[in-house]
Amino acid sequence: VSGALSIANNETIQCEMPGSDWSDYIFEADSKITSNCAGMVFRRTDDNNFYMLQMSAVSQKLRLMKMVNGTWTEVKVVSYPFALDTWY
């Protein structure tokens, strides 16, 4: 066992704490882009309300996005020289 969790091809994994009183927390992850882009979703309340951090090797951008009531908004976009098969 390598201790690594691999998620590919639009698979998802989630951790929910229904009824918990979590408000702020720290989430850390190492991520590798194997094809096009990789992203992490957080502060999800349902399928139409959440934030997403996306790393794109295609556009060479790091995007912080939020979805509110099913509508996407870019919070912040910065250029970054992402490469495939590199850990970030």
Side-chain angles (χ1 to χ4, degrees), residues 27-62:
F27 175 81
E28 294 183 31
D30 294 325
S31 185
K32 181 182 354 178
I33 305 168
T34 58
S35 176
N36 300 327
C37 62
M40 290 164 262
V41 170
F42 54 97
R43 288 201 177 267
R44 179 185 173 274
T45 55
D46 57 39
D47 288 345
N48 292 309
N49 296 281
F50 55 85
Y51 285 86
M52 178 180 67
L53 184 65
Q54 181 190 63
M55 304 177 301
S56 175
V58 175
S59 68
Q60 301 289 287
K61 305 281 187 196
L62 175 65

Side-chain angles (χ1 to χ4, degrees), residues 5 10 15 21 25-26 31 36 48 56 62 69-70 72 82-83:
L5 172 64
N10 293 321
C15 174
D21 59 357
Y25 50 91
I26 295 172
S31 185
N36 300 327
N48 292 309
S56 175
L62 175 65
N69 296 323
W72 284 109
F82 289 111

